[in-house]
Amino acid sequence: MTTTGAYGERFGEFLRLEGAPPTLMTRSLRSTEIAVTETRNDNPVPGLSGSFAAEDAYLVSLKLRDYPDCELWEQGRHIKKADVHAGTTYIYDLKADPRYVIDKPLHSLHFYVPRSALDGLADQSGARRIDALDCGLVGHDDAIVRHIGASLREGLRRPAEANQLFIDHMMLGLTAHVAQAYGGFRHKAEISRGALAPWQLARARDKLESDLGGKLPLQAIAAELGLSVSHFSRAFRASTGLPPYRWLLHHRVRTAKRLMSARGLSLSEVAISSGFANQSHFTRVFSELAGISPGAWRRDALGTAGRQR
């Protein structure tokens, strides 16, 4: 896959990696691409990294491995050398052509956030657009970026199991967080934080139930209701107590229980029919939400049904 932004295949070229690194992407804000790429190289060839084309966009980089004596370059000039510690977050302005010397093992997550996504967030919220993100903070511990990064790493490892609603939710949260924490973005106070109207909730549930695989993006559901993605996400949670991607997981489990209550289907068939990627994915999610494995639940359910007859 050839990309135009600083993610995916282009990031592999930037760091001289073999093949395209794992990447997840959303288009929930103005159909703008927001992406996360995981890069790792345990045995790099020493040298200066490649260069991205200058663009009005940012990289929010979560370091997953210590990188002592990191040499940073911007606009063709050596800027500084500093120790980079695992768990810290850095923000780079892609207009400044950030590069660094690759001379030791590396492992990071990089969130690609273009200016158009930040503008889209402000426009959807009816708020003032931010001027810029603060890229001057050096190696700070950002618990929210760490949490979002840890959640998305699961999806990067098992992309077939990461439904698009989950990716959209996490990337929207990341964009809103960096806009607030590093750009001074604020939602307008008068924005409604109420629940969906009954007809909106019914239609949203219908859309979610019609796509158990979770391929339908948040943007499509929100547009169906005439709402922005951020407004829809907040209102859906106010109505149900769960974000859309989490509600869908619970609905998958409810569907699986109905299927397992009838004899004849294998657990693998139940998994696929309920929207899970495979039986392993089904078992993990079902056990987390139901507190019991699918096999044990079915034995109990069928045993109870047999005793009642």
Side-chain angles (χ1 to χ4, degrees):
M1 177 182 65
T2 300
T3 60
T4 55
Y7 61 89
E9 185 177 296
R10 289 196 63 200
F11 228 117
E13 296 168 355
F14 175 73
L15 295 178
R16 300 194 299 277
L17 304 178
E18 292 186 7
T23 298
L24 299 173
M25 185 181 66
T26 182
R27 290 188 176 93
S28 282
L29 289 168
R30 281 189 163 184
S31 297
T32 297
E33 296 173 347
I34 310 168
V36 58
T37 301
E38 182 171 9
T39 58
R40 180 171 182 171
N41 192 343
D42 295 330
N43 189 29
V45 176
L48 189 63
S49 70
S51 180
F52 291 116
E55 63 171 311
D56 198 357
Y58 297 91
L59 285 176
V60 180
S61 182
L62 173 63
K63 309 304 182 182
L64 302 176
R65 181 171 186 163
D66 288 345
Y67 199 91
D69 294 327
C70 178
E71 291 187 42
L72 177 66
W73 291 60
E74 287 186 352
Q75 296 177 331
R77 296 182 294 110
H78 180 268
I79 299 298
K80 61 184 176 182
K81 178 185 286 190
D83 292 337
V84 170
H85 300 287
T88 56
T89 294
Y90 289 77
I91 301 178
Y92 305 105
D93 186 343
L94 286 175
K95 294 193 300 295
D97 187 25
R99 306 174 73 183
Y100 68 96
V101 175
I102 303 171
D103 57 1
K104 55 187 71 71
L106 57 93
H107 191 191
S108 299
L109 286 184
H110 307 278
F111 296 91
Y112 169 72
V113 183
R115 158 66 64 178
S116 54
L118 297 171
D119 289 346
L121 178 70
D123 294 346
Q124 285 189 2
S125 302
R128 184 181 66 82
R129 292 182 176 184
I130 66 173
D131 294 327
L133 296 183
D134 181 3
C135 301
L137 298 174
V138 178
H140 51 292
D141 179 13
D142 187 318
I144 294 178
V145 173
R146 280 194 289 104
H147 169 72
I148 293 174
S151 298
L152 286 169
R153 283 188 71 195
E154 290 295 313
L156 287 161
R157 282 195 289 267
R158 293 187 286 264
E161 299 178 13
N163 70 68
Q164 192 60 47
L165 290 172
F166 167 75
I167 299 169
D168 292 350
H169 177 84
M170 288 296 173
M171 298 299 274
L172 180 64
L174 183 281
T175 304
H177 169 66
V178 298
Q180 291 168 359
Y182 309 112
F185 170 76
R186 294 292 180 268
H187 286 286
K188 290 185 68 173
E190 63 268 24
I191 289 179
S192 170
R193 298 183 183 276
L196 294 170
W199 72 268
Q200 291 176 317
L201 180 58
R203 187 170 297 179
R205 284 174 168 169
D206 286 346
K207 298 292 285 186
L208 291 169
E209 290 173 3
S210 69
D211 179 40
L212 288 178
K215 303 300 183 185
L216 193 65
L218 273 178
Q219 186 179 40
I221 303 174
E224 181 91 5
L225 307 180
L227 301 174
S228 70
V229 173
S230 54
H231 186 178
F232 167 68
S233 297
R234 289 195 302 270
F236 186 92
R237 187 165 192 161
S239 298
T240 66
L242 295 168
Y245 84 90
R246 196 72 180 170
W247 187 92
L248 180 61
L249 289 182
H250 282 266
H251 181 67
R252 285 176 175 173
V253 169
R254 290 192 295 269
T255 301
K257 286 179 177 179
R258 288 198 298 271
L259 293 172
M260 287 192 295
S261 296
R263 300 178 186 275
L265 289 177
S266 68
L267 289 182
S268 178
E269 290 171 325
V270 170
I272 299 303
S273 298
S274 303
F276 294 96
N278 48 53
Q279 186 174 336
S280 175
H281 182 209
F282 170 46
T283 299
R284 280 197 303 276
V285 174
F286 188 98
S287 300
E288 175 199 343
L289 297 185
I292 187 173
S293 71
W297 186 94
R298 180 159 68 175
R299 285 193 296 272
D300 289 348
L302 295 180
T304 299
R307 290 192 294 271
Q308 290 176 345
R309 285 198 294 269

